[in-house]
Amino acid sequence: GNRIAWVNLSWTTLEPLLLQKQPARTMSHNDTIASEVVSASLGGAVSASILYPLEVLKTKMQVSDDSTEEGEEKKGMVEYSKDLYEKEGMAVFFNGIETSAFQSAMEKAFYFFAYTTLKNVHSTFRSIIDPRNASKPIGGFTNLALGCLAEWAHLPITMPIDCLSTAIQTSKNENAMALMMTILKEGNMYKGIQAYYVLCFKPALQYTVFEQVKGIMLKSRKEKTLSAAEAFLLGMVARAVATVAVFPFVRAKVVMQSRKKDPSQEGEPTSVMELLKEIHETGGIPALYQGLGPELTRGVFSAALMLMIKEKISGGVKNALYGPPPAGRRL
């Protein structure tokens, strides 16, 4: 009788421990970085490829001559694209698409690698200083600062690819390898980098708007990610705000990259600010925003597609590493 009682007591004690569910594995910082980099690079490449014709159109409009004949109106996006098609055919809208896709993939991968790493380091230090900060979201100003640092982190690698992509889009069917050798020979791999003193705020501002609004939207939910439609629409709004804010510097960068020779030899502007001043004196405020239409259209849809794809792929990566979430809950 005592033996039976002892066995029953032992089972009663051990049963909760044996049947207790083991805690699910939580994501480490390395897993988070890998998820962000893979999803962002794939999202960037896909969105850049789908919207590449708009990329070509906006680049050609930005580098076109500001001057028009008296009484002649500047061509809009639709008229300019029709003329371009009639002169150079459909092929012009896809010339250099592989370079652009590669550039976008590298840019997004390095950006999110740097951004996620910086954010994890910042969160770790905040938790060390005060453990209560561990559950608090990062503020808007801090997010903006981390985004700016992340943007500069990828420029040493992506800026030369950006220069090559611009050269391909503005050339007359020149070979990509020949254009690359010309850029290397002239030492113009980082032409227009001065514009990034302001342009570094563009992705930072875009992703800060996205993350802050996303945080507000998900605050009262159990889900960890937005739906595809929510991510798409929020990405559009965030990119539009960022694009309008810094567009004059986008145009100045493209104009400087499209010039074949050293501008100092021709007495032309040698800095971004001098170029912006010249553009303003020539055509006023509208000239500073020449090409905004296709840039805004392409940029808004590109960012929306990229962020939507990134959200979905990131959730897929998490599911692959840790299994599907409990019923009624999405990763």
Side-chain angles (χ1 to χ4, degrees):
N2 292 335
R3 182 176 298 179
I4 295 174
W6 182 84
V7 170
N8 287 337
L9 178 62
S10 299
W11 174 250
T12 303
T13 305
L14 293 174
E15 181 181 19
L17 298 175
L18 294 173
L19 299 181
Q20 183 180 9
K21 290 184 178 180
Q22 295 300 315
R25 180 186 168 204
T26 57
M27 289 194 76
S28 68
H29 284 179
N30 289 338
D31 292 333
T32 303
I33 293 172
S35 171
E36 292 292 304
V37 169
V38 171
S39 58
S41 60
L42 290 176
V46 172
S47 62
S49 300
I50 292 173
L51 299 168
Y52 187 69
L54 283 172
E55 168 74 14
V56 173
L57 182 60
K58 69 97 178 176
T59 300
K60 288 187 175 292
M61 286 186 71
Q62 287 173 6
V63 301
S64 64
D65 192 359
D66 296 326
S67 60
T68 55
E69 298 294 333
E70 187 174 351
E72 180 184 352
E73 295 185 0
K74 288 186 178 293
K75 295 177 182 178
M77 182 172 66
V78 177
E79 292 79 7
Y80 195 94
S81 60
K82 286 181 178 178
D83 286 353
L84 192 59
Y85 172 73
E86 291 173 359
K87 292 177 181 177
E88 304 186 46
M90 183 61 71
V92 69
F93 292 102
F94 296 94
N95 186 25
I97 186 172
E98 65 283 350
T99 304
S100 180
F102 179 71
Q103 178 210 344
S104 183
M106 290 298 99
E107 181 179 313
K108 299 302 185 297
F110 281 107
Y111 177 87
F112 276 98
F113 174 80
Y115 176 75
T116 307
T117 301
L118 290 170
K119 189 166 68 170
N120 287 341
V121 170
H122 178 268
S123 297
T124 300
F125 275 104
R126 281 207 317 165
S127 301
I128 292 174
I129 295 173
D130 187 350
R132 292 174 298 179
N133 290 330
S135 60
K136 295 180 180 179
I138 296 176
F141 179 79
T142 303
N143 236 332
L144 190 64
L146 295 178
C148 289
L149 291 173
E151 179 70 2
W152 278 101
H154 73 72
L155 287 179
I157 296 173
T158 61
M159 190 72 180
I161 308 174
D162 186 31
C163 288
L164 177 61
S165 182
T166 300
I168 292 173
Q169 292 166 14
T170 57
S171 68
K172 298 293 183 180
N173 296 321
E174 295 182 49
N175 181 270
M177 185 60 68
L179 289 171
M180 184 175 68
M181 295 306 297
T182 300
I183 292 172
L184 292 173
K185 183 179 179 180
E186 295 178 352
N188 290 331
M189 290 188 298
Y190 296 97
K191 186 187 288 186
I193 197 171
Q194 295 171 339
Y196 276 92
Y197 290 123
V198 173
L199 292 182
C200 67
F201 289 98
K202 184 183 177 183
L205 180 59
Q206 173 188 328
Y207 297 125
T208 296
V209 171
F210 184 87
E211 290 294 334
Q212 294 302 305
V213 178
K214 174 185 171 182
I216 294 172
M217 293 174 66
L218 298 181
K219 190 174 183 180
S220 59
R221 303 187 195 176
K222 292 182 179 180
E223 293 90 346
K224 293 183 179 180
T225 59
L226 300 172
S227 68
E230 289 172 333
F232 187 86
L233 293 174
L234 182 54
M236 288 177 67
V237 173
R239 182 57 176 251
V241 171
T243 299
V244 173
V246 303
F247 183 77
F249 289 86
V250 174
R251 191 186 174 205
K253 174 184 74 77
V254 173
V255 170
M256 292 194 76
Q257 288 178 343
S258 65
R259 290 179 172 173
K260 306 297 182 183
K261 297 180 181 179
D262 186 355
S264 63
Q265 297 178 359
E266 303 175 357
E268 295 183 0
T270 57
S271 70
V272 168
M273 295 308 297
E274 289 178 4
L275 180 58
L276 285 173
K277 182 180 179 181
E278 181 186 85
I279 293 173
H280 180 265
E281 290 174 349
T282 302
I285 296 295
L288 292 174
Y289 285 88
Q290 182 172 311
L292 177 62
E295 168 70 11
L296 198 58
T297 305
R298 182 206 65 85
V300 163
F301 280 101
S302 175
L305 275 172
M306 192 278 292
L307 290 170
M308 180 186 72
I309 295 170
K310 175 183 170 293
E311 286 286 309
K312 296 296 103 179
I313 294 177
S314 179
V317 171
K318 293 173 185 176
N319 286 344
L321 290 173
Y322 310 104
R329 181 173 178 178
R330 296 175 301 171
L331 275 175

